Amino acid sequence: MKKIFLIISLLFVQAIMAQSEAKEKEAVEKIINNAAHAFRTGEYEKSLDLSSKALVRAFKLDDDFLIAHSYNAIAAVYYEFSESKRAIEFYTKALHYAESLDNNPLKDFINSNLGNVYYYSKIDVGKGIEFYKKSLYYAVKSNDSSQIAYAKLNITSAYFYLGQFKKGIVYLYETKNFIERKGQPESKLSYNGLLGLYNTHETKNTKAAELYYRKAIAIGESNNLNTFTASVYDNYVDHLVKYKRFREADSVRRIYKKLHSKLYSEAMPGDLDDTAIQIELDEYKNQLEKIESTNERQQKKIRDSRTISILFGILLLFLLIMVYMLYKTNVFRKKLNAELTKANEELQAAKEVAEQNSQLKTQFISTVSHELRTPLYGVIGITDMIIDEHKELVNNEQLNSLKFSANYLLDLVNDILQMNKMEDKRTVLEKTDFSLHDELLTIRNSLQFLADNNGNAFNTIIDPEIPKRVNGDELRLSQILVNLASNALKFTRNGEVTITAKLNKFMNNKYFIDFTVQDNGIGIAEADQEKIFDKFVQIERKEGDYQGTGLGLAIVKRLIDLFDSSISIDSAENTGTTFAFTIAFEKAQYDNDISTPDVMEMVGKELDILVVEDNKINQMVTKKIIERHGHRCRLAASGNEAIEAAQKESFDIILMDINMPGMNGYDTTKSMRELGIYTPVIALTAYDKKEVTEQAANAGINDVIVKPFEPSLLFEMMYRQLQVK
């Protein structure tokens, strides 16, 4: 009965202690709030006294949050009276304690204050910008639109002070929408004042500058924002002096001086250095108390360790016995280790052979792909030339069969190469901003011919709740949807195929989007549904006129695995099939499309193009494509011939084959660059683009396109290079 009472008593004491600690924290928070109020009302000595008391009590509570707030309040007083060194010292301590907390708004606030000291005290404006950017980072993490705007205004102001107006204006424009919709008077005043500075020094638009200055002053005076208003007046005076309007400058300067003297007539509180020293002494005293407490605990551990030493002695005796037993088994272990070492060497040798075989396989597939793509470029190109020159053969069955067979073989090559990359784990997701609406429209347009061939209606439906732009791997998503949709269109006759995108949820800053590809075609038997995602599997269909590689759905499955998702199938024979999966996309960095150069403005210009190609058939095909689009073409059959032509004539674009005998495309381009020939070079290659991109860039090649290619893509790439040039 006594033991039970003792336990209950201890629990009661602990509850009282916890309650007491909570009350003490509440009391310290109240002191800090009172200090902040005193600061706002100009009672700086009182504010400093209260903040110092709060700090002492916060240390006793060992509460990092309250310690950080106390230091922050102390630093504010020192900064107010231009004691920048002390202010930085206390703000830095506040930040030290804030770093241990999961409190982004507090870190945002303190970093902003440090930025103010370094910037406004003109100690190190560049360092001030660094702190402002840290403040912006934590404001974004907190998803606090107001603090994000203030951080960007601070960064803009600092860049403007350094004369880096182009850097600063980017941050200022980003705040425009928020400030116009929800901005407080302080932010609106700062925004207009900064636009005044920008027009004074960068655009030299005096009327616009003065309009913004007056607008900022009106906001400040109507809201009693005297400190901010004084700063705008100061900039306005500089503006008038800059443009030699001295009489107006004198008039505005008198208003500024009157307001400035009103703001800074308060007396400085007592000896700030003595107060700072006392704060540091209180901190050291608290640290000493902690050390003594730790010492006491260590002494207790030493006493406890004596008992542990006795137990350790017993354990040591037991271990000696064990050592003796281990010694007896050591000979057997050595023998066993020797056998394992030999087995391990054999396994290592086998591993090296396997790795060599894997490299040989990859190299073989890459080489075969290149060797197949090169003649396919000729076959597809010549077929297009025949159809273009002989319109009466557009519906010729033999010619269309030839083109279909070439495209089919190209699809087979691409599928095998894609599967090989994924098996070697060389496929990784890339993240870019893109429009899901535009992507679905592009897929529909590219597969419409397949829908028309089978008499199908082809629809895309997108949920209006999905934002215009998201961030993720656009190419991999397109590969998934194209594979699924093309399969559905091939196995559906006179029916309907629909791609649907619907927003499932928005969580952790990600949009979870449900995709479905649905058809009412011939369906898949239940017994076959388990194996359709395996490599090289072709399900027997009722309609036997289409044969595939058996890789399309296997590629889909691997790509969806890369997205950390899964795919489901719902199908019945003679009813239709629905594939469904969900992919999470992050928010786009920019809500709207980023403006790009208008490449179409180059379309009307007749270009001089040098084609460097050793293959006669490919020469003919590429030349025909160029001339069919109204441009002039010059051929070079080798690297040396290309260099000689580029030295004698001026070309707008050079199309460079990479795999040439003698001097290859890399060496040819590198030699041109060394000779001062900087004409844009686009590599035409049958290798996979990722295999050659790095080496091409190192040689000075501007871009790469893989043969066979759509002519429209080649010309768009050329126009963009001309824009950059």
Side-chain angles (χ1 to χ4, degrees):
M1 189 68 182
K2 288 181 180 178
K3 289 183 180 179
I4 294 173
F5 176 75
L6 178 61
I7 293 170
I8 294 172
S9 298
L10 286 172
L11 291 174
F12 180 68
V13 169
Q14 289 175 353
I16 291 174
M17 288 174 65
Q19 188 176 11
S20 175
E21 185 174 326
K23 285 184 177 179
E24 175 64 7
K25 286 184 180 181
E26 187 178 337
V28 175
E29 287 176 359
K30 187 175 181 181
I31 294 172
I32 294 171
N33 290 334
N34 289 339
H37 177 72
F39 182 86
R40 286 193 295 271
T41 57
E43 300 175 85
Y44 301 115
E45 195 162 357
K46 180 179 178 182
S47 176
L48 186 59
D49 181 58
L50 289 171
S51 302
S52 301
K53 290 177 179 177
L55 179 64
V56 172
R57 295 171 71 168
F59 269 125
K60 288 182 179 178
L61 287 168
D62 198 19
D63 188 305
D64 289 350
F65 176 80
L66 295 176
I67 293 171
H69 266 292
S70 300
Y71 272 131
N72 186 72
I74 291 167
V77 176
Y78 281 89
Y79 175 54
E80 184 68 17
F81 288 92
S82 302
E83 291 284 338
S84 303
K85 185 177 179 182
R86 286 292 188 183
I88 291 172
E89 178 186 338
F90 290 122
Y91 277 137
T92 303
K93 289 182 178 181
L95 188 59
H96 168 75
Y97 285 97
E99 291 293 350
S100 65
L101 304 170
D102 184 16
N103 191 316
N104 293 320
L106 179 60
K107 296 174 190 175
D108 163 27
F109 188 52
I110 297 172
N111 275 291
S112 179
N113 288 339
L114 272 167
N116 288 339
V117 181
Y118 279 101
Y119 167 34
Y120 288 108
S121 298
K122 306 301 180 281
I123 297 170
D124 186 342
V125 179
K127 195 165 185 179
I129 292 173
E130 291 178 13
F131 280 112
Y132 284 148
K133 288 183 177 179
K134 289 179 183 178
S135 168
L136 176 60
Y137 168 77
Y138 288 115
V140 170
K141 287 189 74 173
S142 303
N143 199 20
D144 188 330
S145 300
S146 177
Q147 288 303 115
I148 291 171
Y150 279 117
K152 289 180 179 179
L153 287 173
N154 284 334
I155 294 171
T156 301
S157 179
Y159 272 130
F160 280 9
Y161 175 81
L162 293 175
Q164 298 176 12
F165 292 95
K166 289 182 180 178
K167 284 186 178 181
I169 198 65
V170 174
Y171 288 94
L172 186 62
Y173 283 157
E174 288 175 357
T175 67
K176 181 180 178 183
N177 290 335
F178 172 80
I179 288 175
E180 288 179 350
R181 290 184 293 105
K182 299 181 180 179
Q184 296 297 314
E186 293 94 332
S187 60
K188 290 181 178 179
L189 183 150
S190 296
Y191 178 76
N192 284 283
L194 289 169
L195 280 174
L197 277 173
Y198 182 71
N199 282 280
T200 294
H201 297 284
E202 186 70 12
T203 68
K204 317 296 186 191
N205 187 336
T206 58
K207 289 184 178 180
E210 289 164 22
L211 179 65
Y212 286 121
Y213 287 137
R214 288 194 292 270
K215 188 174 180 180
I217 289 168
I219 294 170
E221 290 179 344
S222 61
N223 291 277
N224 199 28
L225 302 172
N226 295 334
T227 303
F228 293 98
T229 309
S231 178
V232 177
Y233 269 123
D234 193 20
N235 291 331
Y236 193 8
V237 170
D238 290 342
H239 167 81
L240 294 170
V241 171
K242 179 180 176 69
Y243 291 100
K244 304 186 186 307
R245 292 159 59 184
F246 300 111
R247 184 174 297 174
E248 295 174 68
D250 288 339
S251 177
V252 175
R253 187 182 288 110
R254 283 193 292 272
I255 300 172
Y256 164 71
K257 286 183 176 179
K258 183 178 178 181
L259 184 57
H260 186 271
S261 62
K262 178 184 175 183
L263 282 170
Y264 296 99
S265 61
E266 296 89 348
M268 182 182 287
D271 193 332
L272 292 177
D273 284 336
D274 289 346
T275 306
I277 292 169
Q278 184 58 47
I279 291 168
E280 290 175 353
L281 286 174
D282 289 339
E283 181 180 355
Y284 294 147
K285 181 180 178 183
N286 176 76
Q287 296 300 329
L288 184 59
E289 289 175 355
K290 282 187 178 179
I291 292 169
E292 289 175 351
S293 176
T294 304
N295 233 2
E296 203 172 301
R297 288 195 298 271
Q298 290 295 333
Q299 289 296 326
K300 184 177 182 301
K301 287 181 181 179
I302 291 171
R303 290 193 295 270
D304 294 340
S305 67
R306 291 173 183 169
T307 304
I308 295 171
S309 297
I310 296 171
L311 294 174
F312 180 76
I314 298 170
L315 179 62
L316 183 61
L317 180 61
F318 175 75
L319 287 174
L320 289 172
I321 297 170
M322 290 296 296
V323 166
Y324 175 74
M325 295 176 65
L326 289 172
Y327 173 76
K328 292 187 70 176
T329 60
N330 190 47
V331 175
F332 174 75
R333 184 184 296 110
K334 284 183 179 180
K335 181 180 178 182
L336 184 61
N337 283 343
E339 293 175 357
L340 289 173
T341 300
K342 184 179 178 181
N344 187 54
E345 289 172 352
E346 292 172 354
L347 286 172
Q348 184 64 29
K351 176 176 176 289
E352 290 172 358
V353 171
E355 288 175 348
Q356 289 176 353
N357 290 339
S358 177
Q359 290 175 356
L360 289 172
K361 181 194 75 170
T362 300
Q363 186 178 356
F364 171 76
I365 291 175
S366 176
T367 303
V368 169
S369 300
H370 174 271
E371 294 304 318
L372 287 172
R373 278 180 174 150
T374 299
L376 281 174
Y377 176 59
V379 174
I380 294 172
I382 292 172
T383 305
D384 287 336
M385 287 166 53
I386 294 171
I387 293 173
D388 186 58
E389 294 176 0
H390 301 278
K391 303 297 183 185
E392 70 276 9
L393 297 177
V394 169
N395 296 316
N396 182 275
E397 182 178 350
Q398 287 80 9
L399 197 59
N400 286 329
S401 295
L402 174 63
K403 186 172 182 179
F404 173 82
S405 298
N407 283 323
Y408 173 78
L409 183 55
L410 180 61
D411 288 341
L412 174 60
V413 171
N414 290 335
D415 282 350
I416 292 173
L417 194 61
Q418 176 72 17
M419 182 57 70
N420 181 61
K421 282 184 183 180
M422 289 191 290
E423 286 182 342
D424 288 347
K425 302 189 185 310
R426 288 185 288 143
T427 301
V428 294
L429 294 181
E430 298 178 357
K431 292 185 178 181
T432 56
D433 286 358
F434 71 96
S435 168
L436 188 58
H437 303 70
D438 292 347
E439 186 62 30
L440 291 183
L441 180 62
T442 301
I443 291 171
R444 188 178 68 187
N445 292 339
S446 64
L447 296 179
Q448 189 62 49
F449 78 96
L450 190 56
D452 295 340
N453 286 346
N454 288 348
N456 293 320
F458 185 27
N459 307 307
T460 56
I461 301 172
I462 187 163
D463 188 347
E465 295 295 318
I466 295 174
K468 184 176 181 181
R469 294 175 68 76
V470 293
N471 182 276
D473 196 319
E474 179 183 13
L475 175 62
R476 308 305 176 198
L477 174 65
S478 176
Q479 287 178 318
I480 293 169
L481 293 175
V482 166
N483 269 306
L484 293 175
S486 59
N487 267 359
L489 291 166
K490 289 168 187 172
F491 295 111
T492 302
R493 301 277 184 175
N494 302 316
E496 185 174 4
V497 175
T498 302
I499 300 176
T500 303
K502 181 174 175 41
L503 182 63
N504 181 306
K505 61 184 176 181
F506 179 72
M507 186 174 70
N508 296 331
N509 218 33
K510 290 183 179 180
Y511 296 97
F512 289 80
I513 299 175
D514 296 334
F515 293 93
T516 59
V517 179
Q518 186 175 20
D519 67 67
N520 55 1
I522 61 177
I524 303 171
E526 186 175 355
D528 295 328
Q529 291 177 19
E530 292 293 327
K531 56 186 178 181
I532 59 171
F533 293 110
D534 295 338
K535 291 187 297 183
F536 306 111
V537 170
Q538 295 176 332
I539 305 301
E540 293 185 5
R541 306 275 189 157
K542 292 186 177 179
E543 300 188 16
D545 60 339
Y546 172 75
Q547 293 295 318
T549 64
L551 287 174
L553 290 178
I555 290 172
V556 166
K557 178 66 169 61
R558 298 288 181 91
L559 290 174
I560 287 178
D561 288 343
L562 281 178
F563 281 105
D564 289 329
S565 184
S566 59
I567 187 168
S568 64
I569 178 174
D570 182 12
S571 183
E573 291 186 276
N574 302 317
T575 300
T577 303
T578 299
F579 288 95
F581 57 93
T582 301
I583 292 179
F585 295 99
E586 296 179 359
K587 289 182 70 175
Q589 184 177 2
Y590 300 98
D591 293 334
N592 300 315
D593 292 333
I594 303 171
S595 60
T596 56
D598 184 7
V599 299
M600 295 309 295
E601 70 182 27
M602 299 295 298
V603 173
K605 180 183 176 183
E606 186 177 5
L607 304 177
D608 289 305
I609 301 171
L610 174 63
V611 175
V612 188
E613 171 66 70
D614 65 303
N615 186 294
K616 296 296 183 183
I617 295 176
N618 289 351
Q619 283 182 357
M620 177 181 65
V621 171
T622 306
K623 182 178 181 182
K624 196 68 178 178
I625 290 172
I626 291 170
E627 291 177 344
R628 194 165 66 235
H629 284 76
H631 303 297
R632 292 183 293 272
C633 178
R634 165 76 186 272
L635 296 173
S638 68
N640 290 325
E641 188 177 334
I643 293 171
E644 185 179 347
Q647 286 179 308
K648 290 181 179 179
E649 300 178 43
S650 176
F651 296 98
D652 296 300
I653 288 285
I654 298 174
L655 302 182
M656 179 76 66
D657 182 30
I658 288 179
N659 192 28
M660 295 187 296
M663 183 182 290
N664 62 30
Y666 301 128
D667 295 335
T668 303
T669 306
K670 191 173 181 181
S671 296
M672 285 182 175
R673 299 308 187 217
E674 290 172 353
L675 291 169
I677 301 170
Y678 297 108
T679 305
V681 176
I682 297 175
L684 306 183
T685 179
Y687 286 112
D688 183 69
K689 186 172 182 178
K690 286 193 174 181
E691 293 180 11
V692 301
T693 298
E694 184 178 353
Q695 193 172 354
N698 292 336
I701 294 173
N702 300 84
D703 212 336
V704 178
I705 191 167
V706 177
K707 298 182 290 191
F709 51 79
E710 287 292 329
S712 61
L713 296 178
L714 173 63
F715 284 103
E716 181 180 350
M717 187 179 290
M718 286 196 295
Y719 297 145
R720 289 190 183 280
Q721 288 301 325
L722 290 173
Q723 283 285 331
V724 173
K725 178 183 175 185

